[in-house]
Amino acid sequence: MVNSMRKGCRELVEEMRKRGEKRQAFPLEFTGVGERDVYNITAPFEDEGEIVIAGRVERRESEESEVLFFVNRQGEWIPRVGSPSFPLQDPFFTRIGGQLIFGGVKTYPHPTRRGELWWRTVLYKGKNIRDLHPFFEGPQGMKDLRLVQLRDGSVGILTRPQGEKGGRGKIGFTTIPSLKALSEEIIVEAPLLSDQFLDEEWGGPNEPHLLTNGLIGVLGHIARFDEEGGRHYYPMVFSLDPMTHATSPIHVIAERRDFFEGPAKRPDLVDVVFSGGIVRNGDGTAILYAGISDAGAQMLLIQDPFLIFER
């Protein structure tokens, strides 16, 4: 495996367009939340025999978010009766040691910058959604903390520090023998993956998948500002060798114009696709579940982006 040279968003999007892969969007209708939006959803997953999706629910003019679990009833995703809600943003899930690991981003007033928010990733675990209880909080200022169980039973940790270590946001990785070894110190000291993002751009992991050959297929995002301050977010994937930390080149797999038109939370968020999760169909295709412009959610049928890493 050869590490990539750093490429920016524009070049990676052009590469995707030249591949000419077919993509087809499908709407997702969420109801039962009043005038609030549902966006930055997870991929669907099974809980107590029922398929659910977790989604970020909030008013268009607010950052005060609630994560709800939805079930499909006659084509509409409605809040699931009896499931707890969480005061978090950007939910995610994985399974480790037979347990459901659920997480999101907790926001709170910044300790030194008045009027601004600060955040950290919080993790819950349990045998199912009703059994979830908090067990870990990540470092202050770190979103996109993700865990994945590896082939030997150990746990891979994907991090995304910002600031002195990670600039606008870069991805780090380390491993621990089990969840019992998870600590803030280990997360903070996780080495950064090399040659991934231009210094003026940023990226982060959203959903790691353990591939058939033991590599980690990482679904994430890469992003940039334009000259007017507009944000541009693209779903991307790469593979990661958990033993050597070697990575494949980054592949952008979708862009905003692949999806249906719709509202945006703010003008600077029009060109934002947030990678929520991927379901691999087993026939060479996959479905990407994505938040759109911080105001909606859609799914996109694509070619399975992890197959190239399993050859």
Side-chain angles (χ1 to χ4, degrees), residues 154-167:
S154 61
V155 177
I157 306 172
L158 288 151
T159 70
R160 200 200 73 163
Q162 292 177 278
E164 184 176 348
K165 183 175 183 179

Side-chain angles (χ1 to χ4, degrees), residues 245-284:
H245 295 198
T247 58
S248 73
I250 285 175
H251 296 252
V252 167
I253 58 173
E255 59 180 318
R256 179 65 184 87
R257 69 183 190 181
D258 292 325
F259 296 86
F260 296 109
E261 293 183 358
K265 190 178 185 73
R266 299 192 310 263
D268 64 308
L269 299 173
V270 169
D271 191 28
V272 168
V273 179
F274 183 85
S275 312
I278 277 183
V279 174
R280 306 180 72 188
N281 294 328
D283 61 357

Side-chain angles (χ1 to χ4, degrees), residues 8-308:
C9 289
R10 292 182 178 88
E11 187 175 1
L12 291 169
V13 170
E14 284 303 315
E15 289 181 354
M16 177 195 67
R17 292 172 179 170
K18 288 179 180 177
R19 292 199 299 270
E21 299 167 352
K22 292 183 179 179
R23 293 180 286 275
Q24 183 177 2
F26 296 89
L28 286 169
E29 186 170 357
F30 290 87
T31 62
V33 294
E35 296 181 352
R36 295 181 296 174
D37 294 319
V38 180
Y39 67 103
N40 291 6
I41 57 174
T42 66
F45 62 100
E46 183 177 338
D47 181 71
E48 295 189 276
E50 193 167 37
I51 300 299
V52 301
I53 287 178
R56 173 174 173 171
V57 183
E58 69 188 33
R59 295 186 180 280
R60 191 74 54 86
E61 69 281 5
S62 172
E63 291 291 318
E64 188 175 339
S65 173
E66 178 184 23
V67 170
L68 298 179
F69 295 91
F70 295 85
V71 290
N72 194 307
R73 296 289 183 267
Q74 299 179 329
E76 294 182 354
W77 290 89
I78 65 172
R80 187 193 199 195
V81 176
S83 285
S85 63
F86 297 87
L88 303 172
Q89 300 177 348
D90 305 339
F92 59 89
F93 75 94
T94 189
R95 295 188 188 277
I96 294 177
Q99 293 198 93
L100 174 64
I101 308 296
F102 167 79
V105 177
K106 180 172 75 174
T107 61
Y108 46 91
H110 194 283
T112 58
R113 298 199 289 266
R114 190 172 182 178
E116 296 185 21
L117 290 177
W118 202 218
W119 50 76
R120 65 199 318 162
T121 303
V122 298
L123 299 174
Y124 297 72
K125 64 180 179 180
K127 59 184 179 183
N128 53 45
I129 291 173
R130 289 187 301 170
D131 186 49
L132 288 172
H133 55 276
F135 79 98
F136 185 76
E137 293 196 353
Q140 288 199 91
M142 184 182 290
K143 298 181 178 180
D144 301 332
L145 175 64
R146 297 292 187 269
L147 308 178
V148 59
Q149 186 156 36
L150 304 178
R151 193 156 59 175
D152 63 359
S154 61
V155 177
I157 306 172
L158 288 151
T159 70
R160 200 200 73 163
Q162 292 177 278
E164 184 176 348
K165 183 175 183 179
R168 291 185 183 275
K170 292 183 172 62
I171 298 175
F173 180 75
T174 190
T175 60
I176 52 177
S178 72
L179 284 180
K180 293 181 180 178
L182 187 60
S183 72
E184 184 170 327
E185 182 180 10
I186 285 175
I187 292 169
V188 169
E189 293 180 353
L192 295 177
L193 303 176
S194 59
D195 295 327
Q196 288 207 299
F197 306 108
L198 303 179
D199 288 340
E200 64 271 25
E201 298 186 351
W202 67 96
N206 294 111
E207 188 184 71
H209 288 244
L210 181 63
L211 305 183
T212 55
N213 53 10
L215 298 179
I216 302 170
V218 179
L219 170 67
H221 61 274
I222 184 170
R224 67 176 178 88
F225 283 118
D226 61 27
E227 292 72 13
E228 286 74 42
R231 299 166 193 260
H232 303 267
Y233 274 68
Y234 306 94
M236 60 81 170
V237 296
F238 65 92
S239 71
L240 164 64
D241 187 327
M243 300 295 292
T244 66
H245 295 198
T247 58
S248 73
I250 285 175
H251 296 252
V252 167
I253 58 173
E255 59 180 318
R256 179 65 184 87
R257 69 183 190 181
D258 292 325
F259 296 86
F260 296 109
E261 293 183 358
K265 190 178 185 73
R266 299 192 310 263
D268 64 308
L269 299 173
V270 169
D271 191 28
V272 168
V273 179
F274 183 85
S275 312
I278 277 183
V279 174
R280 306 180 72 188
N281 294 328
D283 61 357
T285 67
I287 297 179
L288 170 67
Y289 290 80
I292 304 297
S293 304
D294 280 18
Q298 299 183 33
M299 56 185 184
L300 188 72
L301 178 65
I302 59 177
Q303 293 186 20
D304 186 337
F306 294 135
L307 280 179
I308 59 173

